[in-house]
Amino acid sequence: MEQALNPPPAPKAIPPRNRVLTAVLAIFLPLLLYLGLCLAAECRSTFYPNSTVNGAAVGGLSETQARTLLTEVLPRRPLTLGDGETGEALLTVPLSALGYTADSFAPLARSALRRQMDVPFFLKGWMLFSALAGHAPAVQDWPAPNQAVFDEAVERLAVRLSLDPIHGAYVPEQNTIAVTCPRNGRAIAAEGLDCLRTPALWQASFCVDLSFSVIPAHPLTARDIADALCGEAQNAKYDPATNSITPERPGVSFDIAAAQQAMDAAAPGETIRFPADIQPPAVTAEQLRQLLFRDVLGECRTAVSGTAARKNNVRLAAAAIDGTVLNSTETFSFNETVGQRTAARGYRAAPAYVHGETVDEIGGGICQASSTLYLACLRSNLQITERYAHRYTPSYIDWGMDATVSWGGPDYRFTNNTDYPVKITTTYENGSLTVRLLGTDLAGVTVKMTGETVSKTPWKTVYEEDASLAPGAEQVKTTPYAGCTVKTYRTLYAADGQWISTTYEDTSSYKSRDRVILRGPEVEAPPAAGTEPLPAEPLPEEPSIPTAGAVPLPDAPAEPAEPAETPPDAAPLPPDTPE
């Protein structure tokens, strides 16, 4: 059986009067509520909720309370200054340091509250509603800073923000090398901080980015360090030109590739250390200052004889080497130091050997200066680098202790084999030449030089006929020298006198020179009848050979001769036959 469906009851119709009332309420109730907000805002004497003034929360505060808050908080508000290139925060300063004082912010409370109250009545409700909803107006009202305080502050900030570059540097230490990696510097002028006068540039975040000028640092690589440091240790040196001491340098070696890798991993300006093999020098600058030229290492004095010209030449040569300083391992050259002996430089003609003959030559006699220096060097226990004996035995110094020199020919050279500088000093007075070598003798070793004559060659008399002489007359043409070979030895003694060693030094071979006598031609007279010619008188015996260090032969020349100065374009003669 089909059931009948009951339709839903029809809604009751709203009377027309009620519909009008509902429409009126829908329109006027929100209006009444808004008017209530406007009225509430009109009557409000405090800041709207969630209100801020220059970032300080003043919601619900009265003018007096807001003034107190602003004068306490805003001057202490930090402002961050950053690098616009890197974004790095560099410095934070309170606003008070820029001239924004409490007195500057005190008026802001009244002006901000007055601005809130001066809004038209029908807008106040909306502003209050927005504030209650968390959208209160944010007042930004920055006063001008105190000009004097601001100008002084930016000058200081420019100095603080500027950064000196850190140049790459290195310092050898005991077993490492300390390396400071380079870092660029920056510079900013006071004018570059004028942006701090404009709060609109930083008030949103209280952070302002600045622009700087870059000051590049000196670059540094491990190869640079190796080029500057690696090598053998060097002692401190004396610079005679400036009378100063050059600092010592240690011997250094290290792994260049590993050092560069460590430097690349370091931060700019960071100081790192990497291992190195460092050998300290034997003599530091401080030690050298205390010990420089403290001791007389050795000396020699010889008597200067002969003509005034010869004495003049010895004096000039001695003066040329006086004051010469040799640092450790340096070599002295007599010819290079004295220079060419010429008349223009004051040297005079004096006896000298020329191919075995004695003649007057410019610079004759200077070998006495080189020989005196040679023996002083031997007594100083220095290393002799180049030395030649004279052609004939000298008369002013022990045999084997002389050193001949000639411009363009033989030279005398010695090397400073001590750890400290050596200075040559000469004194020429009262007919004597004294050469001293000043240095530093820490061990107190003394030297004794001895000579051994191992062979002798006597001279003989040779007669030459000279038609210019009267018959039977004689004239000495060449004075004689006996030849010999002398070996010299260097003996060292400790400070307490104990023998240390005796070593062979050198062999000096001196040639003999015959005595040559010129004789006039003989006139043959016929013998008288019944007579026999008389026998010839026997020749005088040859004199004996003197031993090393003996006085000259009685008939030797009173004025010793030296090798002549070889002209610059002449080829040097062998050492045993100097000019």
Side-chain angles (χ1 to χ4, degrees), residues 73-143:
V73 173
L74 292 184
R76 296 199 302 267
R77 179 66 58 83
L79 178 62
T80 301
L81 309 180
D83 188 336
E85 285 287 332
T86 64
E88 176 187 4
L90 303 177
L91 187 64
T92 299
V93 294
L95 295 180
S96 60
L98 297 176
Y100 295 97
T101 63
D103 292 340
S104 303
F105 294 114
L108 298 184
R110 169 170 292 186
S111 63
L113 187 58
R114 176 58 59 188
R115 187 179 305 172
Q116 171 185 306
M117 297 176 66
D118 288 346
V119 173
F121 175 80
F122 288 107
L123 290 178
K124 289 181 178 179
W126 176 253
M127 293 182 64
L128 179 57
F129 176 79
S130 297
L132 291 171
H135 302 290
V139 177
Q140 296 290 345
D141 187 11
W142 291 93

Side-chain angles (χ1 to χ4, degrees), residues 167-194:
H167 301 299
Y170 51 87
V171 177
E173 296 179 341
Q174 186 172 2
N175 295 310
T176 62
I177 296 177
V179 177
T180 300
C181 298
R183 184 197 69 191
N184 291 337
R186 61 173 180 259
I188 186 171
E191 294 78 7
L193 295 170
D194 280 345

Side-chain angles (χ1 to χ4, degrees), residues 48-369:
Y48 296 149
N50 302 316
S51 296
T52 60
V53 176
N54 293 347
V58 294
L61 300 182
S62 65
E63 177 185 335
T64 301
Q65 292 171 327
R67 181 170 59 251
T68 301
L69 176 68
L70 295 179
T71 56
E72 290 180 355
V73 173
L74 292 184
R76 296 199 302 267
R77 179 66 58 83
L79 178 62
T80 301
L81 309 180
D83 188 336
E85 285 287 332
T86 64
E88 176 187 4
L90 303 177
L91 187 64
T92 299
V93 294
L95 295 180
S96 60
L98 297 176
Y100 295 97
T101 63
D103 292 340
S104 303
F105 294 114
L108 298 184
R110 169 170 292 186
S111 63
L113 187 58
R114 176 58 59 188
R115 187 179 305 172
Q116 171 185 306
M117 297 176 66
D118 288 346
V119 173
F121 175 80
F122 288 107
L123 290 178
K124 289 181 178 179
W126 176 253
M127 293 182 64
L128 179 57
F129 176 79
S130 297
L132 291 171
H135 302 290
V139 177
Q140 296 290 345
D141 187 11
W142 291 93
N146 182 292
Q147 189 62 44
V149 175
F150 182 86
D151 292 341
E152 183 179 352
V154 295
E155 291 287 347
R156 292 196 305 268
L157 287 174
V159 174
R160 293 180 62 186
L161 290 171
S162 295
L163 187 66
D164 291 334
I166 297 178
H167 301 299
Y170 51 87
V171 177
E173 296 179 341
Q174 186 172 2
N175 295 310
T176 62
I177 296 177
V179 177
T180 300
C181 298
R183 184 197 69 191
N184 291 337
R186 61 173 180 259
I188 186 171
E191 294 78 7
L193 295 170
D194 280 345
C195 59
L196 301 181
R197 300 179 189 268
T198 310
L201 299 177
W202 45 262
Q203 62 191 14
S205 61
F206 283 92
C207 179
V208 59
D209 290 333
L210 305 174
S211 296
F212 296 89
S213 299
V214 176
I215 305 175
H218 297 163
L220 181 66
T221 65
R223 172 56 63 183
D224 295 333
I225 301 173
D227 292 343
L229 290 182
C230 288
E232 299 295 329
Q234 294 184 7
N235 292 337
K237 295 182 178 181
Y238 174 74
D239 185 355
T242 60
N243 191 29
S244 62
I245 293 176
T246 303
E248 70 281 2
R249 283 183 53 184
V252 178
S253 63
F254 61 87
D255 188 331
I256 299 175
Q260 186 61 58
Q261 186 176 3
M263 294 173 62
D264 292 340
E270 181 182 359
T271 297
I272 63 172
R273 288 171 173 80
F274 53 78
D277 181 17
I278 299 179
Q279 301 298 325
V283 180
T284 66
E286 182 60 30
Q287 292 171 325
L288 189 54
R289 289 188 186 93
Q290 298 176 3
L291 302 175
L292 185 65
F293 308 136
R294 184 191 67 178
D295 306 310
V296 177
L297 303 181
E299 65 178 298
C300 178
R301 179 182 292 107
T302 58
V304 183
S305 60
T307 65
R310 183 180 186 280
K311 294 178 180 178
N312 169 77
N313 295 340
V314 174
R315 177 182 58 81
L316 288 180
I321 65 175
D322 183 42
T324 301
V325 174
L326 298 178
N327 283 294
S328 180
T329 73
E330 291 183 346
T331 298
F332 169 88
S333 166
F334 188 91
N335 280 340
E336 291 178 4
T337 303
V338 176
Q340 186 174 4
R341 281 69 79 176
T342 63
R345 299 182 61 221
Y347 290 93
R348 302 177 188 174
Y353 299 140
V354 178
H355 302 296
E357 299 294 332
T358 303
V359 297
D360 282 348
E361 290 287 342
I362 298 294
I366 64 165
C367 288
Q368 182 160 354

Side-chain angles (χ1 to χ4, degrees), residues 396-409:
Y396 50 79
I397 202 165
D398 290 346
W399 298 348
M401 310 299 175
D402 60 307
T404 185
V405 292
S406 179
W407 184 256

